[in-house]
Amino acid sequence: PQHQPDQASCIKAHALKMNESTKPFLSETPKVETKADLKTVGFDARFPNTNQTKACWQNYVDFHKCLKIKGATYAPCKQFLTAYLSLCPNQWVEQWDEQREKGVFPHKDL
């Protein structure tokens, strides 16, 4: 069987690939040393169901909208970053980042 990376490794790997707009937020993020240090995003009443696909998408979009409107120094944007890093598969985020860079991201405001 193939070795599956743990969540901490995935988060660290994704953090290294993040674009410049997210780095100020990640520099403040606590280091993840063990599995016990990992925390899941809290309950969001907008998404009460078990399937968190919509929550992943919405938090990704909300984070980038927050950056666009408020700028990278606006600390409350960090809640959206933390949520989408917890909820979204890295492959999706990488694809969405590429789409935003190419100007073909499906959300009209980004």
Side-chain angles (χ1 to χ4, degrees):
Q2 241 181 0
H3 172 69
Q4 292 289 345
D6 61 28
Q7 187 175 8
S9 297
C10 291
I11 291 171
K12 287 178 184 177
H14 181 69
L16 294 173
K17 296 177 184 177
M18 299 295 287
N19 62 36
E20 292 300 315
S21 63
T22 58
K23 285 185 181 177
F25 296 98
L26 291 175
S27 66
E28 299 169 8
T29 303
K31 290 184 179 181
V32 177
E33 301 294 337
T34 67
K35 274 191 167 184
D37 294 333
L38 291 174
K39 293 186 174 57
T40 307
V41 67
F43 177 74
D44 187 336
R46 299 177 298 171
F47 309 105
N49 300 318
T50 304
N51 185 339
Q52 294 296 303
T53 302
K54 173 88 169 116
C56 157
W57 166 263
Q58 192 63 57
N59 280 288
Y60 180 87
V61 169
D62 288 346
F63 173 71
H64 290 286
K65 283 172 67 175
C66 186
L67 287 183
K68 185 176 179 181
I69 295 167
K70 296 291 189 175
T73 58
Y74 189 66
C77 295
K78 183 178 177 182
Q79 74 185 30
F80 300 122
L81 173 67
T82 303
Y84 91 72
L85 287 177
S86 174
L87 296 169
C88 300
N90 291 339
Q91 183 179 3
W92 293 4
V93 174
E94 289 168 8
Q95 179 181 357
W96 295 338
D97 287 344
E98 288 174 15
Q99 290 173 339
R100 282 188 316 100
E101 289 170 11
K102 292 177 183 175
V104 295
F105 187 70
H107 195 278
K108 65 180 178 172
D109 293 334
L110 303 179

